[in-house]
Amino acid sequence: MLNGPNLNLLGVRKPEVYGRTTLADIEASLKEQAQQLGLEIVFMQSNHEGDLVDAIQQARVQGAGIIINPAAYTHTSIALHDALEAAELPVVEVHLSNIHRRESFRQHSFVSPQATAVIAGAGARGYNLALTFLAEHLAQQG
Ligand code: DQA
């Protein structure tokens, strides 16, 4: 599970938009959910585009799927698009806020064309929904 720039500030950054749940809370919840599902989950947050590309390339060889909130890089990063394309893994793109009802510059995603599913506007719960979906998707794929 990858989180992009400024998501380390969840809980204090614009809580009226992103909620009061911290990234540590979200990761603890996903860890517990993954254990119940019998899956291993690895967490990574970075404010740096290249580090996120490196993490996607690592997932490509070590992982079964990717949950990613690319944050502002959603709207700018062809590098993340290309890394996800090369990974050839199921990808769930998550946004805490509904980017489609916000500023126009948030309404285009370079990541969505590479996403199996997109969850936006469900708040922190969106990450749990993403993991539920990914587990079912992987089980279906065998
Ligand atoms: C976000 C939405 C992005 O537009 C923004 O830059 C973020 C967070 C979200 O989770 O709602 O940092 O990805």
Side-chain angles (χ1 to χ4, degrees), residues 37-54:
L37 290 164
L39 296 173
E40 188 185 338
I41 188 161
V42 176
F43 302 109
M44 189 269 188
Q45 186 277 329
S46 178
N47 295 324
H48 305 280
E49 187 175 16
D51 289 346
L52 292 162
V53 170
D54 287 345

Side-chain angles (χ1 to χ4, degrees), residues 38-138:
L39 296 173
E40 188 185 338
I41 188 161
V42 176
F43 302 109
M44 189 269 188
Q45 186 277 329
S46 178
N47 295 324
H48 305 280
E49 187 175 16
D51 289 346
L52 292 162
V53 170
D54 287 345
I56 293 167
Q57 289 191 8
Q58 201 174 335
R60 176 178 168 272
V61 288
Q62 293 178 347
I66 296 173
I67 296 170
I68 183 167
N69 182 346
Y73 289 138
T74 306
H75 318 298
T76 63
S77 180
I78 298 169
L80 289 185
H81 168 283
D82 288 357
L84 290 168
E85 184 176 49
E88 296 183 328
L89 292 173
V91 172
V92 187
E93 176 185 352
V94 175
H95 300 284
L96 294 130
S97 64
N98 180 356
I99 54 175
H100 302 290
R101 72 195 302 191
R102 299 185 62 198
E103 301 97 320
S104 58
F105 64 82
R106 295 187 200 278
Q107 289 172 20
H108 178 261
S109 168
F110 281 100
V111 169
S112 292
Q114 297 306 327
T116 313
V118 182
I119 298 168
R125 182 104 188 95
Y127 292 95
N128 297 103
L129 298 171
L131 185 55
T132 299
F133 169 80
L134 197 54
E136 287 175 8
H137 184 80
L138 292 170

